[in-house]
Amino acid sequence: MEKLEKELGEWKQLLDTGEIDEETYNQETSKLIEKVKRKNA
């Protein structure tokens, strides 16, 4: 879970600095969350 939070934080940082747009941020964070859900299922 800690790794997920770190990755989400990194994506948020990219969004905040303007390196990615909000759509990309939403897509990538959704992928991460789904991956963790499948792993925990």
Side-chain angles (χ1 to χ4, degrees):
M1 200 63 177
E2 187 178 312
K3 184 180 175 195
L4 172 66
E5 289 176 15
K6 183 176 184 277
E7 271 194 77
L8 290 174
E10 290 170 0
W11 283 110
K12 179 70 172 141
Q13 193 172 17
L14 289 174
L15 177 64
D16 290 345
T17 58
E19 292 184 50
I20 61 172
D21 60 14
E22 193 167 345
E23 185 178 343
T24 303
Y25 170 78
N26 291 334
Q27 288 173 349
E28 294 300 327
T29 55
S30 291
K31 283 184 207 174
L32 283 173
I33 292 166
E34 283 303 314
K35 186 175 168 183
V36 170
K37 282 182 183 176
R38 283 193 303 270
K39 188 176 182 180
N40 291 338

